[in-house]
Amino acid sequence: MSLPLRSPGGGRLSPRAADALVAGVVLAVVAVWTLVSAHWASEPAVRTVLGWALILVGCGALCFRRRQPVGVAVVTLLACVVYYPLSAQDGPLMIAFALALYTTAAEGRFAAAVALAAVTLLAVGVGEIRQQPGHRQIDETSLAMLAGWLISLVAVGRAQRTRIAYLHEVEQRALAAEREQEARARQSATEERLRIAREVHDVLGHSISLINVQSGAALHRLGKGPAPETGLVTATEALEAVKATSKDALRELRATLGVLRRADEPTPTAPTSGLALLGDLVGRARSAGLDVRTETTGTPVPLPPPVDLAAYRIVQESLTNVTRHAGARTVRVALDWGADAVRLRIEDDGGGAPEGPPLGSGVRGMAERARALGGELTAQNGDGGGFLVDARLPYSVPTVSEGDSR
């Protein structure tokens, strides 16, 4: 596995083009060296032609060195085996075999590279031993150097293979970390959008439902043609109720949309919704014609802001559902302050939820709020009729670790 080559224009060459370029460079080096050697060594024309044919075969095989590394190494080795006893010019065709052997190890064929190096060393050694005394071309020192040279080629190829594999693994890890970071960012953005949607739903759904009920009741009374004084009082009461409800809706909406402000914008100064504003919430529900009764047991304790807001939103959404769907007259809101959690029970005397259809997004939003804080919420028809929302919220806000968030 050789290093990537780049074209003159700056682009990276394809593997085939790079192999062809390397083969051309090796052929040029071997050819020039052979032509220079031809001035000092003469041989028959037939041997010269066969020698050049072997040079072309050995160097040309390098065009396929990464697609067929073992086959190319065998071809270049055989070309050298035939070329050197045949030709008197002794060109450096061994360069082609050296590059093919290195490529074999670099492409992960380590066993084949070791076997080819061993066969080469054994063949050279046996050939030299069989030579007559005084006719040897390679002595023991040169043979040892050849062995070191072959071992070095295989070792460098192996090291290059390991390096490329390591770089590939690092790249894959970086890509995986980037994908994981993007997935976490998308998950965080989705959770934030859902949270904002839930807040806006609770704020606008409750307030608009009350405004609708209040204005509808006023129109109903005015439609009966009361005396002017009575009609004026009715219209005034309805408009005051609508004004108060819309003012509270705007306040909560500003606080909710404050999470979308830029970092350099001032922090919203409107009070955050919580159980401290439960009286105002109950008052608005009463102005819509509901008889809301509150009960408190235990000793109230300061709640963390997320728990305080969730408790308020659960009561708010429950009253909204009663106003819109239950047809109830009385609602009981009970708060039970325990040792480690506050329990909310909102029960009405309406007709209850019909069997079969799934609960709406408001109930699902309440359940999501409770689960996000480590609590639980159930919403079902009560034993004595009506509808019951029962929620338990622990005082402490759970911390989600990085492993749990995935």
Side-chain angles (χ1 to χ4, degrees):
M1 184 177 298
S2 58
L3 294 176
L5 298 177
R6 296 186 179 275
S7 64
R12 180 174 295 181
L13 292 176
S14 65
R16 292 188 178 184
D19 290 343
L21 178 61
V22 170
V25 171
V26 173
L27 177 60
V29 171
V30 174
V32 171
W33 192 311
T34 303
L35 290 175
V36 172
S37 300
H39 288 284
W40 290 277
S42 61
E43 61 182 3
V46 175
R47 288 195 175 188
T48 301
V49 172
L50 289 177
W52 280 102
L54 290 171
I55 290 174
L56 292 175
V57 170
C59 295
L62 295 178
C63 294
F64 310 94
R65 66 189 181 95
R66 280 187 284 189
R67 282 173 280 175
Q68 298 292 335
V70 178
V72 170
V74 172
V75 170
T76 54
L77 177 59
L78 293 177
C80 291
V81 169
V82 177
Y83 173 77
Y84 284 107
L86 177 69
S87 176
Q89 298 174 357
D90 286 343
L93 184 58
M94 198 67 177
I95 296 177
F97 172 67
L99 182 58
L101 183 65
Y102 161 81
T103 304
T104 301
E107 290 295 324
R109 307 296 182 85
F110 183 67
V114 171
L116 287 171
V119 169
T120 302
L121 186 61
L122 181 62
V124 172
V126 171
E128 290 299 317
I129 291 174
R130 296 180 60 183
Q131 294 291 332
Q132 296 294 330
H135 293 279
R136 293 183 59 180
Q137 298 180 354
I138 301 177
D139 55 15
E140 284 76 6
T141 302
S142 299
L143 192 62
M145 293 178 62
L146 176 63
W149 181 59
L150 294 174
I151 293 173
S152 299
L153 286 173
V154 176
V156 171
R158 177 75 170 184
Q160 178 67 0
R161 175 71 179 184
T162 304
R163 173 181 174 273
I164 295 298
Y166 171 76
L167 294 178
H168 178 72
E169 183 180 357
V170 170
E171 182 180 2
Q172 293 301 314
R173 288 182 178 179
L175 291 175
E178 183 179 356
R179 288 193 295 267
E180 183 178 0
Q181 184 177 5
E182 292 177 354
R184 289 181 181 176
R186 288 194 299 268
Q187 181 181 0
S188 298
T190 300
E191 292 176 352
E192 185 66 12
R193 286 197 300 269
L194 291 177
R195 189 184 71 83
I196 294 173
R198 186 167 57 235
E199 291 290 334
V200 173
H201 170 272
D202 291 346
V203 172
L204 296 184
H206 174 75
S207 300
I208 293 176
S209 296
L210 291 181
I211 290 174
N212 180 63
V213 171
Q214 292 160 350
S215 59
L219 290 174
H220 177 72
R221 290 196 294 268
L222 292 174
K224 295 181 178 181
E229 295 80 4
T230 304
L232 181 59
V233 172
T234 300
T236 301
E237 292 176 351
L239 289 175
E240 289 178 350
V242 168
K243 178 182 178 181
T245 302
S246 60
K247 180 180 179 181
D248 292 336
L250 287 174
R251 174 185 58 81
E252 294 194 20
L253 185 59
R254 289 193 188 99
T256 301
L257 296 181
V259 298
L260 299 178
R261 63 186 177 86
R262 296 191 302 272
D264 56 347
E265 291 180 344
T267 303
T269 57
T272 304
S273 297
L275 291 181
L277 301 177
L278 183 60
D280 297 338
L281 182 63
V282 170
R284 290 197 297 270
R286 287 171 178 167
S287 67
L290 288 176
D291 181 11
V292 183
R293 303 173 183 177
T294 60
E295 300 176 3
T296 302
T297 57
T299 302
V301 298
L303 295 176
V307 180
D308 199 16
L309 177 61
Y312 179 86
R313 293 296 187 214
I314 290 174
V315 177
Q316 183 185 52
E317 179 62 24
S318 299
L319 293 178
T320 300
N321 291 337
V322 173
T323 304
R324 296 174 60 185
H325 308 299
R329 292 181 177 274
T330 303
V331 183
R332 185 175 69 92
V333 179
L335 278 70
D336 182 12
W337 298 86
D340 58 354
V342 58
R343 185 177 183 184
L344 309 171
R345 289 175 61 89
I346 303 95
E347 186 174 9
D348 62 73
D349 60 355
E355 298 293 337
L359 297 176
S361 59
V363 175
R364 290 197 299 270
M366 290 190 293
E368 290 172 1
R369 288 181 184 275
R371 287 195 299 268
L373 297 172
E376 55 187 355
L377 182 143
T378 58
Q380 59 189 359
N381 291 331
D383 296 335
F387 196 74
L388 171 64
V389 174
D390 190 351
R392 177 186 174 277
L393 302 177
Y395 294 148
S396 60
V397 179
T399 56
V400 180
S401 64
E402 181 178 338
D404 297 335
S405 63
R406 291 195 291 266

